[in-house]
Amino acid sequence: MLNLLSCSGFSYSKNEQKTNDDAILPIIIKSGDYFVLAIADGVGSQTGSNQASELALNILRENFNFSDFNAKNVLNKIKYNIEQLSNQIGKELATTLTFVVVSSSQIRVVHIGDSRLYIKKRNKLSQITIDHTQYQKLLDEKIYTKKELSTMNVKHILTTALAPNVDIEYQEEVLNVKDFLDENNYLILHLMTDGAYHFWEQRPNFTKPTMDNPLAFSNSLFKRIVKKGAIDDYSLISAKFHIENKEKL
């Protein structure tokens, strides 16, 4: 059996006068057997970007059906609605989307864009999603090294997103829960937009009590961001689950 022990997070705009283009869906308890959480980041910092990210999460919330789930159908429906919204506004809108479905036996991940899912393993965070960016593509294809890419302004250039006139390319993973449980059968995961994880990567080293506590993790990362000064939108969802009867998985 899967139990949600705690959940925390934030969504913080870089400017009080500017609309936050990030959107978060902290937790949907679809039944006693599984939970859904999601994060999206409207692309381009333009009028309507926030509507694109919110639209993606609203459609996901309304149309998610675990018993008959098809990632491509869900993403196509979101894309279609973003196309309609783009036509209404008169601008081509786009958003990233990363969501995870947690059950007592599986972690299903669907991802498009450059937000990230991390799952705690031992006392470190393992990155599960792959960034759909020009930087990652050039690195994967071994065209440039990390050192060479550090001098190029390609880290934030997306190679795909949910947008009109863009083919849907996405990552879908189904992971075994027991591969990520700690010694006490806890499962801890974090969803972050690019603004948040760039702060995390600068110093990925919280204490064990902080790493084991979603509220403490969320508060600590938020304090880092506020102290340094916001230059982007920042969003995080942290959740901690407990699995009973691990031997039955």
Side-chain angles (χ1 to χ4, degrees):
M1 183 176 178
L2 176 70
N3 297 304
L4 174 65
L5 298 183
S6 62
C7 180
S8 185
F10 56 80
S11 191
Y12 181 62
S13 177
K14 67 180 177 184
N15 189 321
E16 291 182 359
Q17 281 72 49
K18 177 189 169 298
T19 303
N20 187 347
D21 293 331
D22 291 354
I24 61 175
L25 188 62
I27 287 285
I28 303 177
I29 306 171
K30 302 299 288 187
S31 75
D33 297 325
Y34 64 96
F35 299 81
V36 182
L37 50 160
I39 201 161
D41 183 357
V43 178
S45 297
Q46 61 177 327
T47 301
S49 294
N50 64 309
Q51 292 175 261
S53 58
E54 290 169 2
L55 180 62
L57 296 191
N58 287 336
I59 292 171
L60 175 64
R61 181 193 291 112
E62 293 166 3
N63 292 274
F64 191 88
N65 186 340
F66 189 75
S67 62
D68 186 28
F69 177 73
N70 184 298
K72 191 168 185 179
N73 288 346
V74 173
L75 296 177
N76 275 323
K77 187 161 189 174
I78 293 170
K79 178 183 174 180
Y80 172 79
N81 280 271
I82 289 175
E83 288 174 350
Q84 301 306 301
L85 179 62
S86 297
N87 292 336
Q88 292 172 18
I89 292 178
K91 294 180 179 179
E92 190 165 302
L93 303 175
T95 185
T96 70
L97 176 65
T98 304
F99 68 92
V100 57
V101 185
V102 186
S103 70
S104 57
S105 60
Q106 292 183 341
I107 305 164
R108 175 169 286 190
V109 185
V110 178
H111 164 73
I112 182 167
D114 64 346
S115 293
R116 287 182 183 174
L117 169 67
Y118 293 91
I119 302 180
K120 181 175 175 286
K121 198 164 187 179
R122 300 180 182 88
N123 205 42
K124 295 183 179 180
L125 298 189
S126 296
Q127 181 183 337
I128 304 302
T129 52
I130 299 168
D131 297 339
H132 296 139
T133 60
Q134 193 66 33
Y135 174 92
Q136 191 63 50
K137 184 177 180 180
L138 293 170
L139 195 62
D140 290 344
E141 293 177 357
K142 298 182 180 179
I143 295 173
Y144 295 103
T145 65
K146 282 186 177 182
K147 184 177 180 181
E148 291 169 333
L149 285 169
S150 66
T151 64
M152 303 179 189
N153 189 24
V154 295
K155 209 157 193 175
H156 301 285
I157 299 175
L158 292 172
T159 56
T160 189
L162 289 165
N165 304 313
V166 176
D167 292 336
I168 292 179
E169 298 177 19
Y170 64 98
Q171 175 188 358
E172 184 172 14
E173 303 279 348
V174 179
L175 310 172
N176 196 321
V177 163
K178 67 181 181 181
D179 293 337
F180 294 93
L181 295 180
D182 67 12
E183 65 278 7
N184 297 307
N185 292 347
Y186 293 132
L187 172 69
I188 300 173
L189 54 83
H190 307 278
L191 281 170
M192 303 187 204
T193 55
D194 59 334
Y197 66 68
H198 285 148
F199 264 94
W200 164 251
E201 286 189 326
Q202 289 175 15
R203 283 189 297 126
N205 54 349
F206 287 152
T207 63
K208 189 176 187 307
T210 299
M211 294 286 284
D212 288 344
N213 185 326
L215 179 59
F217 186 96
S218 174
N219 286 341
S220 296
L221 188 58
F222 184 73
K223 287 177 182 177
R224 279 188 188 178
I225 291 168
V226 173
K227 185 177 180 180
K228 274 272 197 176
I231 59 173
D232 197 354
D233 296 332
Y234 307 88
S235 296
L236 163 75
I237 307 168
S238 296
K240 182 176 184 177
F241 301 90
H242 182 257
I243 307 292
E244 296 180 12
N245 301 322
K246 176 182 176 182
E247 63 277 3
K248 294 183 179 181
L249 297 181

